[in-house]
Amino acid sequence: MTQLPQFNRTLLHPRYWFTWLGIILLYLLVLLPYPVLYYIGCGLGRASMRFLKSRVSIARRNLELCFPQMPNAEREALVTCNFESLGMGLIETGMAWFWPDWRIKKWFSVNGLEHIEKAKTDGKGVLLIGLHFLTLELGARIFGIYNPGIGVYRPNDNPLIDWLQTWGRMRSNKSMLDRKDLKGMIRALKNGDIIWYAPDHDYGPKSSVFVPLFAVEQAATTKGSYLLIRSGNPAVIPFVPRRLPSGKGYEMVILPEQTSAIPLDDEISTAVHMNQIIEHAVLMAPEQYMWLHRRFKTRPEGQPSLY
């Protein structure tokens, strides 16, 4: 069972004071009206491109790999929008952790809650497919306001940030599980809980199979989806929290259940279909997806790096 971080006096040690300063500044920043935050966040994101040149290169390369037919000018515009979304992602993390429920609801519309209700009526747990959009923190918060569940996460190397992100996510959810705790996830699904699960990152060669994702023929894709769906028998429901343009707020779209369409013959067939779900979700808000990490760093043995 995952042991969640607790606040303790060691987090007040001087080595964390700089982190505390950043947390306080973020808290004060998100007190501003949302239209102002939208302007600040997009501006920060554009400015960050000057200092995060390696990340700009990674985002550009990911888009080249996934969308080789996309015109270069369109791709460059998408990279810029993606970094605007990165700046907003920082702001939205503060919103998710510090805003009260009423303020979050004010800026969100939610579509598709009936799909969650149907799964509950059927007595099923829910494997909620939530991808690594830059709206991730805020999306998890708004979903939890309506349907508290259990988040799957990677513990942060900084103990203060680890405690804070857990505290923030627990504001509207039941608990958290380490992403390696498959037994805990299966147990929760069998108990009828909602598990927030992201199958779209590269988890390394031991935990992956290689199947297509967009135009990349051999993308490392987690084996965990097969185990969770086969053992937990959940309703598999994707959702997409997307930011509306021009500071108009957010829309959370909960898509229909996908379970019956997912083959469970083996890990590869399941991973292929899960990547098709991922592709559909990403295309609903491509500028807001986390393109700036090396999604395709793990390669089949003997294959050259794509970066």
Side-chain angles (χ1 to χ4, degrees):
M1 189 68 179
T2 302
Q3 295 294 318
L4 298 182
Q6 302 292 323
F7 181 83
N8 60 73
R9 294 172 64 182
T10 62
L11 299 180
L12 301 176
H13 190 277
R15 67 173 172 269
Y16 298 119
W17 285 1
F18 186 75
T19 305
W20 275 114
L21 177 61
I23 292 168
I24 293 168
L25 290 175
L26 183 60
Y27 172 80
L28 294 174
L29 178 62
V30 299
L31 295 176
L32 293 171
Y34 177 72
V36 177
L37 294 176
Y38 182 85
Y39 177 81
I40 293 172
C42 290
L44 283 174
R46 287 191 301 271
S48 73
M49 295 180 72
R50 302 177 184 177
F51 308 102
L52 301 176
K53 293 184 178 181
S54 64
R55 292 294 173 180
V56 173
S57 296
I58 290 170
R60 185 179 292 122
R61 179 58 173 156
N62 281 332
L63 291 170
E64 288 173 350
L65 291 167
C66 290
F67 308 111
Q69 303 304 318
M70 182 181 289
N72 188 61
E74 184 178 342
R75 187 181 297 123
E76 288 303 309
L78 185 53
V79 170
T80 299
C81 289
N82 195 226
F83 274 81
E84 290 179 349
S85 192
L86 174 64
M88 279 305 301
L90 173 63
I91 301 293
E92 288 157 358
T93 296
M95 292 162 57
W97 291 350
F98 302 128
W99 273 18
D101 289 356
W102 67 264
R103 194 175 179 193
I104 289 178
K105 287 181 177 181
K106 177 182 176 181
W107 290 99
F108 255 97
S109 65
V110 181
N111 300 305
L113 284 170
E114 67 272 11
H115 303 308
I116 304 297
E117 293 305 316
K118 182 179 184 304
K120 289 181 178 179
T121 301
D122 294 343
K124 286 187 172 183
V126 174
L127 190 66
L128 186 71
I129 306 301
L131 309 185
H132 283 86
F133 285 102
L134 291 159
T135 53
L136 179 153
E137 291 288 344
L138 194 54
R141 175 74 191 281
I142 189 66
F143 186 92
I145 288 173
Y146 290 95
N147 288 282
I150 298 172
V152 176
Y153 81 118
R154 182 184 72 82
N156 196 284
D157 295 333
N158 182 316
L160 175 54
I161 298 298
D162 194 35
W163 166 77
L164 181 64
Q165 74 175 4
T166 302
W167 174 85
R169 292 170 179 178
M170 290 286 286
R171 291 196 65 184
S172 62
N173 284 290
K174 290 181 179 180
S175 188
M176 303 289 295
L177 287 171
D178 190 301
R179 69 182 185 182
K180 297 178 182 178
D181 189 0
L182 281 174
K183 289 183 179 179
M185 294 180 222
I186 292 169
R187 187 182 309 114
L189 291 171
K190 288 183 175 180
N191 289 338
D193 282 317
I194 299 171
I195 291 287
W196 188 99
Y197 173 71
D200 59 325
H201 264 199
D202 183 338
Y203 294 110
K206 292 184 179 179
S207 303
S208 303
V209 292
F210 294 93
V211 296
L213 179 65
F214 291 112
V216 180
E217 288 297 324
Q218 294 180 306
T221 302
T222 178
K223 299 176 182 178
S225 302
Y226 172 79
L227 296 171
L228 287 173
I229 299 169
R230 189 175 180 87
S231 301
N233 191 31
V236 179
I237 300 178
F239 86 115
V240 177
R242 55 186 178 185
R243 185 184 315 106
L244 301 176
S246 305
K248 294 179 180 177
Y250 301 84
E251 176 187 36
M252 186 169 72
V253 181
I254 301 171
L255 298 169
E257 182 179 344
Q258 305 289 309
T259 315
S260 61
I262 300 174
L264 294 174
D265 303 320
D266 51 46
E267 295 167 339
I268 292 177
S269 61
T270 301
V272 167
H273 194 86
M274 289 301 292
N275 276 1
Q276 292 170 358
I277 293 174
I278 291 168
E279 290 172 1
H280 176 71
V282 168
L283 291 176
M284 292 177 67
E287 77 285 359
Q288 297 171 38
Y289 189 64
M290 197 179 291
W291 295 111
L292 65 163
H293 76 99
R294 294 194 299 161
R295 172 61 183 86
F296 307 108
K297 65 182 178 182
T298 298
R299 302 290 293 142
E301 187 175 352
Q303 294 292 316
S305 172
L306 294 176
Y307 298 95

